[in-house]
């Protein structure tokens, strides 16, 4: 009998654990669960608005009065966390509608908390939706002035937290933004609030549909002087490390699908919760192919989210949150 006998060959059959759905479920390493999904919501100033976004079929902008029903629908599907983006009526050089207590985001937060207090309300903290030039901070001499932007991000975070946000999520990619926000929150007696930092946020073409949705395309230049170069991953670890030192509770890698290696490296190095943002372009690519009948939408969306989990993310921000939660409940 040769060494490669009948016995040793059969010992190596990896298919044994794949033979039924119950067995596959038993040995499954990563799972997508609605409780770890966050649904982004675009909130537009006004009333009675449910406005489709051309570049993101199936995603709408809502006015504050239409939010409670959306939040309720998401909660029914099992998605209890939302991330708010604001579309103000007025924009100016300094993005002042972004940190006004009567702005669209504080108003939205109060409305949601009144209606469904248990919802985990996260608010994006950035100026690009509120500035006339579309950059993420104060522009001086043709560039974004880091240190003049910090106090304004801090003010926005305080206003959102005062309105009831559980989580503030700085996405401007200014150095020191987490410390500035943490300090201003503490000074306002709001030290119980969570800071989820968009730590490793890349200068990505995948944000294209979002900029249509949020009307936040820069009027000149691009964001490469503050967002990260897509070529780098060691630098992402430095960004994350710095944010943790500055007081971030949750760190984020964004986009997700093209940056799974970054998520995986971050997972190996840090023990804080890691969020991954599956951005607008990731949604629109799949959606467009699905609408053409070229891809099985549920299968592909679920597979992508599973891959993001497998790479090491705890939290996934995705425009597919509600659908995936629905598909998961149908599978059960
Ligand atoms: C704000 C912000 C952006 C996104 C999230 N927060 C746009 C940008 O940086 O241009 C993108 C989200 C998405 O594409 O889904 N700075």
């Amino acid at each position: 009998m040769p060494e490669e006998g009948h016995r040793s060959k059969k010992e190596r059959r990896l298919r044994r654990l794949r033979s039924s759905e119950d067995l596959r479920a038993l040995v499954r390493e990563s799972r997508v669960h609605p409780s770890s999904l966050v649904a982004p919501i675009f909130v537009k100033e006004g009333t009675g608005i449910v406005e489709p976004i051309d570049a993101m079929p199936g995603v709408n902008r809502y006015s504050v009065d239409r939010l409670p029903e959306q939040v309720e629908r998401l909660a029914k599907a099992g998605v209890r966390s939302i991330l708010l983006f604001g579309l103000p009526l007025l924009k100016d050089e300094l993005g002042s509608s972004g940190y006004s207590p009567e702005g669209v985001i504080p108003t939205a937060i109060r409305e949601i908390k009144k209606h469904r207090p248990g919802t985990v309300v996260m608010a994006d903290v950035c100026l690009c939706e509120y500035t006339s030039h579309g950059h993420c901070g104060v522009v001086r001499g043709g560039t974004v002035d880091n240190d003049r932007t910090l106090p304004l991000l801090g003010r926005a975070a305080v206003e959102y937290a005062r309105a009831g946000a559980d989580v503030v999520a700085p996405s401007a990619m200014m150095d020191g933004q987490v410390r500035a926000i943490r300090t201003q929150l503490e000074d306002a007696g709001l030290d119980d609030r969570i800071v989820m930092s968009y730590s490793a946020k890349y200068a990505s073409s995948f944000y294209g549909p979002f900029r249509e949705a949020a009307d936040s395309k820069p009027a000149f230049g691009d964001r490469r002087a503050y967002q990260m170069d897509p070529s780098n991953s060691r630098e992402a670890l430095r960004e994350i490390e710095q944010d943790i030192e500055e007081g971030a509770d949750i760190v984020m890698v964004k986009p997700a699908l093209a940056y799974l290696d970054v998520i995986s490296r971050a997972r190996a190095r840090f023990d804080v919760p890691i969020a991954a943002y599956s951005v607008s372009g990731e949604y629109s690519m799949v959606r467009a192919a699905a609408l053409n009948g070229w891809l099985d939408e549920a299968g592909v969306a679920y597979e992508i989210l599973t891959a993001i989990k497998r790479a090491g993310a705890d939290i996934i921000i995705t425009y597919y949150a509600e659908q995936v939660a629905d598909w998961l409940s149908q599978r059960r």
Side-chain angles (χ1 to χ4, degrees):
M1 251 329 234
E3 282 259 32
E4 293 274 300
H6 147 101
R7 239 190 126 68
S8 60
K9 248 192 219 157
K10 298 249 156 147
E11 273 164 13
R12 278 173 223 169
R13 298 272 158 123
L14 289 164
R15 287 184 51 182
R16 260 178 225 131
L17 296 173
R18 298 176 198 149
S19 61
S20 74
E21 180 45 30
D22 286 338
L23 267 172
R24 292 190 291 273
L26 183 69
V27 297
R28 191 156 288 146
E29 297 174 30
S30 322
R31 279 191 171 81
V32 175
H33 190 270
S35 59
S36 60
L37 303 180
V38 180
I41 302 183
F42 298 101
V43 191
K44 187 169 174 174
E45 219 168 328
T47 49
I49 302 169
V50 178
E51 194 173 83
I53 297 160
D54 289 345
M56 304 178 74
V59 180
N60 301 308
R61 304 180 190 90
Y62 299 99
S63 50
V64 170
D65 57 304
R66 307 303 295 267
L67 289 179
E69 53 187 297
Q70 290 316 312
V71 172
E72 201 52 54
R73 270 196 19 222
L74 285 162
K76 279 218 181 82
V79 179
R80 274 77 199 268
S81 303
I82 56 170
L83 174 60
L84 301 177
F85 294 95
L87 284 95
L89 276 179
L90 294 175
K91 303 188 187 224
D92 61 25
E93 280 282 302
L94 296 178
S96 56
S97 53
Y99 37 91
S100 154
E102 300 312 317
V104 62
I105 290 300
T107 311
I109 295 167
R110 287 190 289 267
E111 183 66 19
I112 293 163
K113 283 292 181 180
K114 192 168 74 189
H115 181 82
R116 209 180 170 282
T119 308
V120 178
V121 177
M122 309 180 169
D124 186 80
V125 177
C126 191
L127 298 185
C128 66
E129 295 117 88
Y130 307 94
T131 50
S132 41
H133 45 70
H135 276 288
C136 299
V138 179
V139 172
R140 288 278 153 139
T143 184
V144 177
D145 185 323
N146 194 87
D147 292 3
R148 274 181 213 271
T149 303
L150 296 179
L152 304 185
L153 296 174
R155 267 174 77 180
V158 167
E159 290 308 336
Y160 303 165
R162 267 200 192 119
D166 304 281
V167 180
V168 289
S171 69
M173 285 302 277
M174 296 299 122
D175 286 323
Q177 61 182 9
V178 173
R179 174 167 289 122
I181 286 171
R182 187 52 88 200
T183 307
Q184 279 182 248
L185 284 175
E186 270 172 31
D187 291 348
L190 295 160
D191 46 28
D192 58 339
R193 300 318 155 86
I194 295 161
V195 176
M196 174 171 77
S197 181
Y198 287 69
S199 307
K201 177 175 177 180
Y202 287 87
S204 172
S205 296
F206 284 100
Y207 307 152
F210 174 96
R211 291 183 189 165
E212 187 225 295
D215 184 28
S216 63
K217 195 170 179 284
F220 63 90
D222 53 44
R223 304 206 200 291
R224 282 183 286 188
Y226 42 104
Q227 298 181 345
M228 277 187 61
D229 184 337
S231 312
N232 299 352
S233 71
R234 293 192 300 267
E235 187 187 351
L237 302 180
R238 294 177 59 207
E239 284 280 4
I240 292 170
E241 185 171 44
Q242 196 158 310
D243 281 357
I244 296 171
E245 271 168 28
E246 290 181 24
D249 304 288
I250 302 172
V251 295
M252 194 198 296
V253 175
K254 175 190 175 193
L257 186 55
Y259 298 83
L260 294 179
D261 58 322
V262 179
I263 298 172
S264 162
R265 288 188 77 172
R267 175 74 298 153
R269 177 86 69 95
F270 303 106
D271 290 328
V272 298
I274 295 176
Y277 196 144
S278 185
V279 300
S280 56
E282 298 176 43
Y283 171 84
S284 296
M285 285 194 305
V286 176
R287 186 87 183 119
L291 288 173
N292 273 298
W294 296 337
L295 282 180
D296 163 23
E297 186 171 29
V300 170
Y302 185 67
E303 189 172 327
I304 289 174
L305 298 190
T306 303
I308 295 169
K309 273 266 162 183
R310 193 190 61 230
D314 303 292
I315 300 165
I316 307 176
I317 302 160
T318 169
Y319 300 95
Y320 271 115
E322 188 183 344
Q323 288 105 303
V324 166
D326 280 340
W327 292 327
L328 284 170
S329 64
Q330 285 159 22
R331 282 194 184 192
R332 263 179 239 131

